[in-house]
């Protein structure tokens, strides 16, 4: 039986831009790659009346989320001609202006990288049990809804 | 016969517990009926149900020690 490789997806707190730069740099030895596509989700300071979102606090159903990420990964490799892909999602508090999601796909040609990246982001928003609680400047909070 | 119930997000705001042990329910419909009776505010929110980490759409038979998660709409990313 093929062994299931576990890919660590969750990161405590925001995704550091240096981490993203390093993730890109790590691909320089894979010289058959012709295109990378990166999606970065950033926490936005939505305004409601006089208040604005200062952070999002992420929680998950960890075991199920890991399984879903694995399924999304397998499906992406089935449907697109990818050389590699990486998903990182924050847990815990991420301030407005910081990065909470990185989807990084690499392929020989750009169409596969771009289309896979978009499909993966849509699946993450729809299928992965993660919840964001928006924290406001007045310390109120509300559960985020995805569009 | 005992079912483990896990709650998340808005659902936890209502139940005030992240996990509950519910005895003597045969299927998910019975479980939901019981939960909505105990926590009437559940009726006013949207949620989905996962049995042993798999989403279900229909009434599902439960076995001893099954884990049922009550999942409000996802909002990751």
């Amino acid at each position: 039986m093929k062994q299931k490789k576990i890919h660590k997806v969750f990161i405590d707190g925001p995704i550091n831009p240096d981490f993203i730069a390093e993730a890109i740099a790590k691909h320089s030895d894979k010289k058959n790659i012709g295109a990378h596509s990166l999606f970065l989700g950033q926490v936005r300071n939505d305004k409601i009346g006089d208040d604005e979102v200062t952070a999002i606090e992420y929680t998950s159903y960890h075991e199920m989320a890991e399984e879903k990420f694995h399924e999304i990964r397998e499906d992406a490799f089935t449907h697109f001609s990818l050389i590699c892909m990486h998903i990182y999602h924050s847990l815990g508090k991420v301030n407005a202006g910081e990065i909470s999601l990185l989807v990084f796909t690499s392929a020989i040609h750009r169409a596969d990288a771009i289309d896979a990246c978009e499909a993966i982001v849509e699946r993450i928003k729809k299928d992965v049990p993660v919840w964001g609680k928006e924290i406001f400047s007045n310390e109120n909070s509300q559960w985020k809804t995805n569009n | 016969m005992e079912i483990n119930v896990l709650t998340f997000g808005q659902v936890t705001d209502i139940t005030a517990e992240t996990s509950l042990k519910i005895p003597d329910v045969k299927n998910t419909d019975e479980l939901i009926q019981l939960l909505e009776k105990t926590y009437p505010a559940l009726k006013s929110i949207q949620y989905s149900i996962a049995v042993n980490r798999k989403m279900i759409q229909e009434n599902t038979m439960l076995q001893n020690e099954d884990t049922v998660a009550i999942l409000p709409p996802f909002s990751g990313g």
Side-chain angles (χ1 to χ4, degrees):
Chain A
M1 207 175 99
K2 199 177 142 193
Q3 210 180 350
K4 205 167 162 179
K5 192 177 168 196
I6 301 297
H7 295 267
K8 188 182 176 301
V9 170
F10 287 119
I11 287 186
D12 280 327
I15 299 170
N16 192 313
D18 290 341
F19 176 86
I20 301 166
E22 207 171 301
I24 298 169
K26 277 182 187 161
H27 291 77
S28 59
D29 58 346
K30 291 189 178 173
K31 293 182 182 152
N32 56 339
I33 292 174
H36 299 300
S37 185
L38 281 83
F39 175 84
L40 302 173
Q42 173 166 306
V43 172
R44 185 177 54 231
N45 66 339
D46 277 349
K47 292 176 178 66
I48 297 183
D50 290 337
D51 289 321
E52 71 174 57
V53 172
T54 57
I56 293 180
E57 179 104 34
Y58 290 99
T59 51
S60 78
Y61 180 6
H62 206 93
E63 298 83 355
M64 185 176 161
E66 296 273 2
E67 286 182 10
K68 281 285 166 195
F69 279 125
H70 182 77
E71 196 181 301
I72 290 169
R73 194 183 161 78
E74 299 280 295
D75 288 351
F77 276 110
T78 306
H79 291 106
F80 301 96
S81 182
L82 291 178
I83 292 171
C84 61
M85 63 161 289
H86 307 274
I87 303 172
Y88 293 99
H89 196 301
S90 294
L91 281 183
K93 194 177 169 195
V94 181
N95 292 321
E98 293 180 325
I99 304 295
S100 59
L101 174 63
L102 164 62
V103 175
F104 184 172
T105 52
S106 308
I108 295 173
H109 301 292
R110 69 182 183 283
D112 280 308
I114 294 169
D115 294 350
C117 187
E118 189 181 353
I120 293 162
V121 172
E122 293 303 317
R123 283 282 300 275
I124 292 171
K125 299 242 176 198
K126 191 167 129 291
D127 293 344
V128 181
V130 171
W131 298 275
K133 190 183 218 175
E134 296 172 327
I135 316 287
F136 290 91
S137 35
N138 64 1
E139 290 178 11
N140 281 346
S141 62
Q142 72 174 20
W143 292 99
K144 177 177 175 263
T145 51
N146 275 357
N147 298 316
Chain B
M1 169 91 175
E2 197 172 59
I3 302 302
N4 302 306
V5 175
L6 302 178
T7 71
F8 298 90
Q10 275 171 289
V11 178
T12 309
D13 289 348
I14 291 168
T15 62
E17 301 282 349
T18 55
S19 83
L20 306 160
K21 301 265 186 208
I22 308 287
D24 304 325
V25 285
K26 288 195 285 295
N27 54 51
T28 49
D29 278 1
E30 271 188 26
L31 174 67
I32 292 309
Q33 226 172 11
L34 181 71
L35 289 174
E36 290 194 346
K37 202 173 146 195
T38 316
Y39 307 102
L42 279 180
K43 289 184 206 161
S44 62
I45 65 160
Q46 264 192 344
Y47 58 82
S48 324
I49 299 160
V51 176
N52 299 329
R53 303 187 298 281
K54 302 284 173 226
M55 300 290 273
I56 58 149
Q57 311 298 335
E58 292 170 357
N59 189 22
T60 301
M61 295 299 288
L62 295 171
Q63 311 289 328
N64 190 32
E65 307 243 310
D66 274 352
T67 297
V68 179
I70 315 295
L71 309 169
F74 305 154
S75 55

